[in-house]
Amino acid sequence: MSAGMTVRAVIFDWSGTVVDFGSRAPAAAFVEVFREFGVELSEAEARGPMGLPKWDHLRALGDLPRIGAAWRAAHGRAFENADVDRLHEVFEPLTARVAARHAALVPGVVEAVRELRRRGVKIGSTTGYTRPIMERVGPLAAEHGFAPDNLVCAGDLPAGRPTPLMMYRCFVDLAVWPARAVVKVDDTAPGLVEATAAGSWAVGVAMSGNAVGLAPEELARLGAGEQARLRDAATDALRAAGAHYVIDTVADLLPVVDAIDARLAAGESPPAPPP
């Protein structure tokens, strides 16, 4: 490790991390698309595989025993890849519409990114959304002040999360290396695994993300004890997925980057993920 090395890039996830506090859009879209095909999902079921590419997410939902049985009852046969294709055809434009209504930035994102750029840190992004969805969401986020240096979408590469390929694309796009000088910020397990698989630092986002799944006004109505319970549960899940640090929202990111800078300067690499 080179003496004095610092963080060279931060790669952000989108929904639940920099936009859409509570990751409301994708959860609602999964529930709605299955309903259109005669199968009811709970929001908790819809959120389970969150962070995967959306085709894979749909496939994972159909593989759940309860949902698979409901599909068989509604359609008279087992859930198949051809059904995933049909769902995805409906899901993509539906999600683009829903996500565009949930493109507000999470508070603190603009300020954190501004300071990172001042330090010379490059700003990248990966997402489980496809490029047609991001063609709606990206410009809206830019209007509010978040425009990363690159964007890697589900479907851009032969494989997405939880493989490290989207992270590798970020390294190339941003011309940053080594992997240990890069930080990934994400609210889902697959998004954190893509970071650790690439050899980068993984920072989990608890309160604005999928693990809690509440809009700011819903969260504000909860008592301190219930908020603490949700934070602890989300933190445990993100740590189990390999997060080296867990923060409430991106507004809390800069002290973590400082801590990682210190560890890099001391010659440390990201600890190996849990077995």
Side-chain angles (χ1 to χ4, degrees):
M1 175 73 69
S2 301
M5 178 176 286
T6 59
V7 170
R8 295 176 177 173
V10 175
I11 313 300
F12 291 98
D13 173 55
W14 282 77
S15 181
T17 300
V18 294
V19 298
D20 187 11
F21 194 113
S23 194
R24 308 295 291 169
F30 282 115
V31 170
E32 178 59 29
V33 73
F34 269 90
R35 180 176 293 134
E36 290 192 19
F37 284 78
V39 175
E40 292 293 329
L41 266 65
S42 70
E43 185 172 303
E45 287 171 326
R47 289 183 179 279
M50 201 69 78
L52 292 175
K54 300 316 178 196
W55 193 98
D56 297 333
H57 190 139
L58 292 164
R59 175 76 254 189
L61 289 173
D63 288 340
L64 293 174
R66 191 203 69 77
I67 297 173
W71 185 273
R72 183 181 292 276
H75 297 274
R77 54 179 174 73
F79 189 73
E80 301 173 348
N81 281 348
D83 298 314
V84 185
D85 292 337
R86 292 166 56 216
L87 284 161
H88 196 265
E89 287 178 3
V90 177
F91 177 85
E92 191 170 72
L94 170 65
T95 304
R97 294 192 299 272
V98 174
R101 298 197 297 267
H102 292 267
L105 296 184
V106 171
V109 166
V110 170
E111 295 79 4
V113 169
R114 182 186 300 124
E115 173 59 19
L116 289 169
R117 289 194 189 282
R118 189 193 68 78
R119 299 180 185 187
V121 176
K122 295 182 179 180
I123 306 299
S125 68
T126 73
T127 179
Y129 282 155
T130 59
R131 196 154 290 272
I133 296 170
M134 289 306 300
E135 286 173 355
R136 297 284 300 276
V137 175
L140 294 171
E143 288 177 8
H144 295 298
F146 178 73
D149 300 323
N150 86 321
L151 168 65
V152 188
C153 298
D156 285 357
L157 300 172
R161 300 167 177 170
T163 79
L165 294 189
M166 290 203 289
M167 289 291 289
Y168 294 163
R169 172 61 70 187
C170 287
F171 299 163
V172 172
D173 288 349
L174 303 176
V176 294
W177 70 89
R180 58 183 174 269
V182 177
V183 176
K184 174 69 192 301
V185 186
D186 204 295
D187 67 306
T188 67
L192 296 170
V193 174
E194 79 171 349
T196 56
S200 296
W201 298 89
V203 178
V205 178
M207 298 302 279
S208 69
N210 181 68
V212 171
L214 296 177
E217 61 273 13
E218 295 172 316
L219 196 58
R221 287 196 292 268
L222 300 179
E226 179 61 12
Q227 288 187 14
R229 186 192 68 78
L230 291 172
R231 179 182 291 106
D232 289 346
T235 297
D236 288 346
L238 295 166
R239 289 281 190 186
H244 301 111
Y245 296 88
V246 178
I247 56 179
D248 279 1
T249 75
V250 171
D252 307 307
L253 178 61
L254 293 175
V256 169
V257 173
D258 292 339
I260 293 172
D261 279 344
R263 294 176 73 173
L264 288 170
E268 291 190 46
S269 293

